[in-house]
Amino acid sequence: MAPTMRDVQLTAAGDGAFEEVRLLDAYDEEDSDKLNGNLRRIQVRVSGMTCAACSNSVEQALMGVNGVFRASVALLQNKADVVFDPNLVKDEEIKIAIEDAGFKAEVLEEPSASCTSQHGTVLGQFTIGGMTCAACVNSVEGILRKLPGVRKAVVALATSLGEVEYDPSIISKDDIVNAVEDAGFEASFVQSSEQDKIVLGVVGVSAEMDTQLLEGILSKLHGVKQFYFDRISRELEVVFDPEVLGSRSLVDGIEGGSGGKFKLLVKNPYTRIASGDLEESSSMFRLFTASLSLSVPLFLMRVVCPHIPLLYALLLWQCGPFLVGDWLKWALVTIVQFVIGKRFYVAAGRALRNGSTNMDVLVAVGTTACYVYSVYALLYGAISGFWSPTYFETSAMLITFVLLGKYLETLAKGKTSDAIKKLVELTPATATLLVKDKGGRIIGQREIDASLIQPGDILKVLPGAKVPVDGVVVWGSSHANESIVTGESVPVLKEVNSVVIGGTINLHGSLHIQATKVGSNTVLSQIISLVETAQMSKAPIQKFADYIASIFVPTVVTLSLFTFLGWYVAGLLGGYPEEWLPENGNYFVFALMFAISVVVIACPCALGLATPTAVMVATGVGASNGVLIKGGDALERAQKIKYVIFDKTGTLTQGKATVTTVKVFTEMNRGELLTLVASAEASSEHPLAKAILEYSRHFHFFDEPCDTKESQSNSEQAKFSGWLHDVSNFSALPGKGVQCFIEGKWILVGNRKLITENGITIPSNAESFVVEMEESARTGILVARDNTIVGAIGIADPLKREAAVVVEGLLKMGVKPVMVTGDNWRTARAVAKEVGIHDVRAEVLPAGKAEVIRSFQKGGNVVAMVGDGINDSPALAAADIGMAIGAGTDIAIEAAEYVLMRSNLEDVITAIDLSRRTFSRIRWNYVFAMAYNVIAIPVAAGVFFPLTKLKLPPWVAGACMAMSSVSVVCSSLLLKRYKKPRLTAILEITVE
């Protein structure tokens, strides 16, 4: 089953919801199947542990108990997570086992039931800093998943974000942050699915008295659980009870309690993340410029100064045991190595402490080797008088190039999240709230932060302003530009009872709207969440890259060691002439430079960026083109699509069925027939039923049908409900029609199958009418009353104008289109003929659509399903790739991996083409990531030196390593230039 989203309305036409899509849903629950039997899981608080040896002792003691299935001990949280068979061991025996090992134990009263169920868990998002490659990601994920109370955890290198699903009754946000920081990384909480925390910027706090006043106000506010005010950033974090205190009431309470002294601004979590990215980029730039400013003098002393006699004489001046030049080199490089380059030692130590190796380990090893050898050469020369060459410049230049690569990488990665930033900018910062008295009259208005809008608020939207939240028009008339959501530039009429979407633009008249969905429930917020989650997701191809990266560093270190030993031993044994050695050099230095170059060039950093950066850009580009993609897994499967299966009604057709013909076969007049049929169909949600109801209402009241779905609202139906008959025992029969009793008479309205199954004979004139409808691609509906056919209705559902061209385009792309419908064979064949589909499956019940898809999946074929209705959701879930029409039902959208927001079939081609382009780019990324290594490692190791005398100095190796990451990210950024394929190009049509 595909991941789902909660409470999402993708177009103004849909007022429903679909569940939230989460990155974590793609991962299996570790012990869910095992715990479905007789096993239990409990949490035990363990006291007295002081180190890792203690936790190991507790684990061993627990695993030694008969009946314990699994035991995991967290030293930092002083807790043990135990899975056991209650038939073999009791809670008390587990406690005794821990105490016998020399520790205190207490079984927690509430077991972590949430670890085996989604109920009671919270999804939290955290920023994680200090990660440099896939090995770091694996370390952080491993740390998080071992924490008690954490159900699932996924970390993304490209976004520096982590999503953690946890039980707040067992572990808190702060515990998670502390665990990550204890492992040597940086962490901070961003937001969670709990609506109990708000971050506010406070203006007006300038002295200690102001801080005390703020704390006093918060302490007195009922519903405030805890708060923290950062005096440096002027940010206030408040945790409150949402059932007692609303966010706007909280802000009003603080501002009112201060007498207007304080002004509060709600901090958008996405804005905070963007500012964090900017801060990281700025910090990396400062480090790079500092390293460069110290490395340039080293380069000048080596290359330029020997050609300037006065300066060179000064550098050769003896100062103590060393020359002035040597002192300067040592001083400058020491600052670069241990002050500017401190981050590499910290990160390397962190990685080694967590049992992994990463890029920082390689950089630390390579630069340290250069620095230590150079210091040793100076000391050895001072003592023995034999001066060997030093390589201080190599160490400094290496760190400089690595920092340059990291800086360019942060810039490039920042650009990949442009889609989210642009979506965030669409939401207005403030809104005009209309204040009403108890009688409902407007008595005033005030500006409020858009983040503080509550459901039910009445808001004023001026011409040219953005709609602040999702809502319903209660006064006024205007047109709205909804292109940000639907992709259609044509303005949409907005009248009373019309649905409006937050972030869209009110073009003309003023509107008063009533807020219905706010905060994370708005369409725009859910789209942002969906895009962000998709950007964090991992495609299956990335798992292989992560595995390679995890073993790459140890392999490179081993290769470097063999390189050193090979050249050094060969030199001692006379394997190559001394002329190859540098001036005043020796075999040790000669071999060491080859080894250092191998260590530096073979960095797996680019390998870890190859897939996620491309997925990030592709999901953002897709959102900009009206195609929402739910993750890298969907992208990878979509590029292999062999068959595309289309639903008919609402997918290939416009879904706006209209009655074209009404035939009466008895003495009943047309008005009576339409009243009878409309009464029977009034309780049905089928598009054909709504078409009949609309036509009947127009027939009786000369009411012009409206194109907007608002006209079909409950209020409109209630307005004309007086002319409908009372209905009893109503039931809808999928794929057939409806049946009910009206005034004691049995009524059937449906297709030929419904009539014949109930033993009613269809007269020849009625049969001829239905056949005529079906052969002209229309649907014939029969009406029976007490076993007698009394009339028939012909309904047409026009094809979408792009349907035939899209089908032909898919054939040109090597994808085979198929149509599956519950309609009869004649109508199905007529529609298929019009659009050019040759493979048709008709009279298929909703449950049967999934079976049709499975039949096409045989042999490993990748099958996509395009649908919009509730009955399509099983098929969308069964397909390898589900593509939901954006204006379709919410259940269909839940089950799909792609959402075509514009409800345009051309986006099916866009989705497939973008997937293919993305994975073509990913393959190129792996070429860029590995080419430097494959080509440069042999050169760095000196394989070609005996023939070409070609060497790769360590500082050049550092430059190549940095460029590999930059090449990968820039390659991914080329996807931002993606243009939707023109159908004329696909069809090879020459337009005059």
Side-chain angles (χ1 to χ4, degrees), residues 700-956:
H700 284 287
F701 301 98
F702 298 101
D703 177 36
E704 287 295 332
C706 182
D707 290 336
T708 61
K709 287 192 176 182
E710 287 85 4
S711 66
Q712 299 174 5
S713 65
N714 292 333
S715 61
E716 282 289 316
Q717 293 187 22
K719 183 177 179 180
F720 300 104
S721 61
W723 60 279
L724 297 175
H725 297 308
D726 292 332
V727 174
S728 61
N729 298 331
F730 171 85
S731 62
L733 307 172
K736 301 176 184 177
V738 300
Q739 64 181 8
C740 63
F741 282 91
I742 297 177
E743 296 179 348
K745 298 184 181 295
W746 186 36
I747 306 299
L748 294 175
V749 181
N751 56 23
R752 188 188 291 103
K753 188 175 183 180
L754 174 66
I755 302 300
T756 55
E757 285 183 354
N758 284 277
I760 300 175
T761 302
I762 302 175
S764 58
N765 57 345
E767 178 67 23
S768 298
F769 174 83
V770 173
V771 170
E772 180 186 352
M773 294 295 103
E774 293 172 348
E775 289 179 346
S776 60
R778 289 178 284 178
T779 300
I781 303 295
L782 294 170
V783 184
R785 182 174 65 177
D786 279 350
N787 298 319
T788 302
I789 300 296
V790 296
I793 298 175
I795 300 178
D797 186 3
L799 286 171
K800 291 182 177 178
R801 62 181 183 273
E802 74 275 9
V805 181
V806 168
V807 167
E808 187 176 354
L810 288 173
L811 290 170
K812 294 283 187 179
M813 296 173 70
V815 179
K816 298 179 181 178
V818 181
M819 188 179 79
V820 178
T821 178
D823 213 335
N824 63 83
W825 276 102
R826 284 195 185 92
T827 303
R829 278 195 292 262
V831 172
K833 184 178 180 180
E834 284 192 50
V835 299
I837 294 179
H838 304 293
D839 196 340
V840 181
R841 310 297 167 95
E843 298 181 1
V844 178
L845 294 176
K849 291 183 179 180
E851 293 300 323
V852 172
I853 287 174
R854 294 188 185 98
S855 68
F856 281 99
Q857 289 174 327
K858 293 179 180 178
N861 294 321
V862 177
V863 179
M865 170 70 190
V866 184
D868 71 313
I870 293 176
N871 59 347
D872 295 327
S873 55
L876 289 167
D880 298 292
I881 294 292
M883 296 184 181
I885 299 297
T889 63
D890 304 314
I891 295 178
I893 293 171
E894 288 178 11
E897 285 84 10
Y898 282 71
V899 180
L900 312 181
M901 297 169 59
R902 303 187 309 155
S903 301
N904 191 319
L905 291 179
E906 293 179 15
D907 291 337
V908 174
I909 289 180
T910 300
I912 297 174
D913 183 67
L914 178 59
S915 300
R916 292 179 177 179
R917 296 281 189 90
T918 300
F919 267 80
S920 174
R921 183 55 52 188
I922 288 175
R923 294 184 185 99
W924 274 110
N925 285 353
Y926 282 117
V927 170
F928 289 130
M930 298 300 297
Y932 290 89
N933 295 328
V934 172
I935 296 174
I937 285 181
V939 178
V943 173
F944 305 111
F945 183 78
L947 297 176
T948 64
K949 302 300 183 292
L950 177 65
K951 290 197 298 184
L952 194 68
W955 68 271
V956 176

Side-chain angles (χ1 to χ4, degrees), residues 461-524:
V461 186
L462 296 174
K466 294 177 181 177
V467 178
V469 292
D470 296 358
V472 176
V473 176
V474 296
W475 179 88
S477 175
S478 182
H479 284 79
N481 181 350
E482 298 184 341
S483 59
I484 61 165
V485 175
T486 64
E488 295 291 345
S489 59
V490 179
V492 181
L493 175 65
K494 297 299 177 182
E495 300 176 311
V496 174
N497 294 327
S498 297
V499 175
V500 291
I501 304 173
T504 58
I505 301 175
N506 178 29
L507 296 177
H508 303 300
S510 294
L511 295 175
H512 292 179
I513 67 169
Q514 183 175 30
T516 56
K517 293 180 179 180
V518 301
S520 60
N521 291 326
T522 64
V523 172
L524 195 57

